[in-house]
């Protein structure tokens, strides 16, 4: 991680790793910065059934390793560090990371997003002890147990249905009187005897000892509080883009996602955005990968002055 780079990619999920593959193949001096695990969110996916080229599906971790290996074959340079700031400088941009300040002519932001938290007492304390943000990853731990799924959109209802394969009962806790999920999904959920809708209700607290034992619920219509005995709680209430450090530097939409043009360009010439981090992304691995490839090609054109 020395000297100046032509392209810096921030984030090593499907978008960042695919961008890295393309820039490595074009022999650009490029660096990929990742704060956690190369692979991004797909490492949490038990199985990915809709990534082209894998007719029998592929494990999320396996796909991440394959992407990493492929980019590595062409000499990908990467470093584990969190980017905390981005600033303009004469010849391009200064990428400010935890432990370094690196110059780059172009930047591809591909930091994806993270699960929205409930932000209630007990939630953080019980992560991994009954609080989960990934049904496909953790459902297996709740065989014949009682769980709650918090959320009312497509993700929450899909995951609640998935949980019924393992859990004996799934409370579907949603803050409104109606779910937001598509009608088809709602019909499936309401026809499933293991799913018990708990509407107009928010979680106030997660309680337990060595593991989750109950939720304190608040009914927003009646104003009453009541405990609900559960062994686990899954949360699917949306995503928060990893754009905190970009605020004020790049144009973001009201959800905090990066606004991009048709060439995945941002309001800063030479800064591109790819994958889940950008506004109106499809939130799919293959879309993120496609974005990564496109952003790399547009960055390449920018460097050539085309
Ligand atoms: C449980 C689960 C199951 C899924 N199943 C499927 C599926 O079956 N099919 C499908 O198509 N999609 C699936 N998805 C969605 C898919 O994983 C995402 O759409 C895809 O990973 C988005 O890719 P990305 O590269 O844009 O972002 P991410 O995968 O979120 O990767 C972003 C990376 O950037 C890093 N990063 C963020 N900020 C910084 C920073 N400041 N500095 C350095 N690094 C940073 C993060 O650590 C992360 O590794 C699933 C997601 C989850 C959570």
């Amino acid at each position: 991680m020395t000297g100046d780079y032509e392209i810096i990619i921030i984030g090593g999920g499907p978008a960042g790793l695919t961008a890295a593959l393309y820039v490595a193949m074009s022999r650009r001096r490029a660096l990929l910065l990742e704060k956690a695990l190369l692979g991004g969110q797909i490492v949490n996916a038990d199985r990915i059934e809709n990534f082209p080229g894998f007719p029998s599906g592929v494990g999320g971790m396996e796909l991440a390793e394959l992407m990493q290996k492929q980019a590595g074959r062409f000499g990908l340079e990467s470093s584990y560090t969190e980017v905390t700031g981005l600033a303009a400088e004469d010849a391009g941009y200064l990428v400010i990371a935890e432990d370094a300040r690196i110059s780059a002519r172009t930047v591809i932001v591909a930091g994806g997003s993270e699960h929205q938290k409930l932000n209630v007492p007990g939630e953080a304390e019980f992560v991994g002890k009954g609080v989960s943000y990934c049904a496909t990853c953790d459902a297996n731990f709740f065989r014949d147990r009682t769980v709650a799924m918090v959320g009312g959109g497509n993700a929450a209802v899909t995951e609640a249905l998935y949980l019924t394969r393992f859990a004996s009962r799934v409370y579907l806790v949603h803050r409104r009187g109606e779910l937001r999920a598509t009608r088809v999904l709602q019909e499936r959920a309401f026809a499933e005897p293991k799913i018990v809708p708990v509407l107009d209700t928010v979680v106030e607290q997660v309680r337990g000892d060595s593991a989750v034992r109950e939720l304190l619920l608040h009914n927003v219509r009646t104003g009453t509080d009541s405990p609900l005995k559960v062994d686990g709680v899954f949360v699917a209430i949306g995503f928060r883009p990893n754009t905190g450090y970009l605020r004020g530097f790049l144009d973001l939409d009201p959800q905090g996602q990066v606004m991009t043009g048709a060439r995945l360009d941002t309001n800063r010439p030479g800064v591109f955005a790819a994958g889940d981090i950008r506004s109106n992304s499809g939130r799919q691995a293959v879309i993120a990968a496609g974005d990564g490839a496109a952003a790399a090609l547009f960055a390449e054109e920018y460097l050539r002055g085309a």
Side-chain angles (χ1 to χ4, degrees):
M1 206 165 72
T2 52
D4 294 352
Y5 289 87
E6 289 171 298
I7 303 179
I8 284 186
I9 301 161
I10 304 171
L17 282 172
T18 310
L21 168 67
Y22 274 67
V23 299
M25 287 180 76
S26 65
R27 303 288 184 220
R28 287 289 178 187
R29 185 158 160 66
L31 174 67
L32 182 145
L33 301 173
E34 166 57 52
K35 69 173 177 178
L37 264 186
L38 283 175
Q41 290 174 63
I42 55 169
V43 301
N44 296 319
D46 176 38
R47 215 151 175 84
I48 297 192
E49 303 288 358
N50 54 4
F51 201 88
F54 297 92
S56 313
V58 57
M61 187 60 91
E62 188 189 350
L63 183 59
E65 282 168 7
L66 288 170
M67 285 184 177
Q68 192 181 336
K69 200 169 164 189
Q70 194 171 2
R73 211 179 109 213
F74 296 98
L76 164 67
E77 185 180 346
S78 62
S79 181
Y80 285 101
T81 185
E82 177 168 2
V83 174
T84 55
L86 198 53
E89 59 175 16
D90 290 346
Y93 295 93
L94 184 67
V95 178
I96 302 154
E98 273 170 330
D99 47 4
R101 297 161 78 86
I102 320 151
S103 294
R105 284 181 60 205
T106 66
V107 177
I108 297 175
V109 292
S113 55
E114 279 170 12
H115 293 279
Q116 192 87 39
K117 308 278 191 303
L118 291 169
N119 290 322
V120 297
E123 180 185 21
E125 186 187 339
F126 289 107
V127 169
K129 297 175 193 160
V131 172
S132 170
Y133 302 90
C134 175
T136 36
C137 317
D138 297 331
N140 196 28
F141 299 119
F142 296 91
R143 275 183 195 278
D144 304 319
R145 315 289 285 276
T146 300
V147 298
M149 164 59 72
V150 185
N154 288 340
V157 176
T158 307
E159 298 210 342
L161 284 162
Y162 179 74
L163 282 166
T164 61
R165 293 199 222 160
F166 303 85
S168 54
R169 177 169 296 186
V170 181
Y171 291 106
L172 185 56
V173 181
H174 183 45
R175 65 196 162 120
R176 297 193 200 286
E178 258 191 42
L179 301 178
R180 270 187 302 111
T182 59
R183 286 279 159 207
V184 175
L185 277 175
Q186 290 195 33
E187 282 162 20
R188 264 195 239 157
F190 292 136
E192 168 52 62
K194 284 187 180 176
I195 295 185
V196 182
V198 183
L199 302 177
D200 293 314
T201 298
V202 293
V203 176
E204 295 270 275
Q205 196 180 355
V206 181
R207 294 169 171 171
D209 36 50
S210 57
V212 169
R213 302 288 173 218
E214 69 175 23
L215 301 177
L216 178 65
L217 300 181
H218 176 75
N219 186 303
V220 293
R221 263 180 186 269
T222 61
T224 51
D225 290 347
S226 56
L228 179 72
K229 294 259 175 261
V230 292
D231 301 300
V233 53
F234 289 82
V235 182
I237 54 170
F239 291 88
R240 199 169 48 85
N242 289 318
T243 51
Y245 70 97
L246 297 169
R247 213 165 281 280
F249 184 74
L250 293 184
D251 287 347
L252 307 179
D253 70 11
Q255 286 76 44
Q257 302 165 124
V258 181
M259 306 275 282
T260 48
R263 298 169 73 78
L264 302 189
D265 46 339
T266 66
N267 56 307
R268 299 276 178 177
V271 178
F272 302 85
D276 282 12
I277 200 169
R278 70 181 190 89
S279 199
N280 296 319
S281 83
R283 294 200 177 287
Q284 290 292 294
V286 67
I287 297 176
D291 265 13
L297 293 175
F298 292 133
E300 172 69 28
E301 275 181 21
Y302 178 86
L303 287 169
R304 282 203 313 263

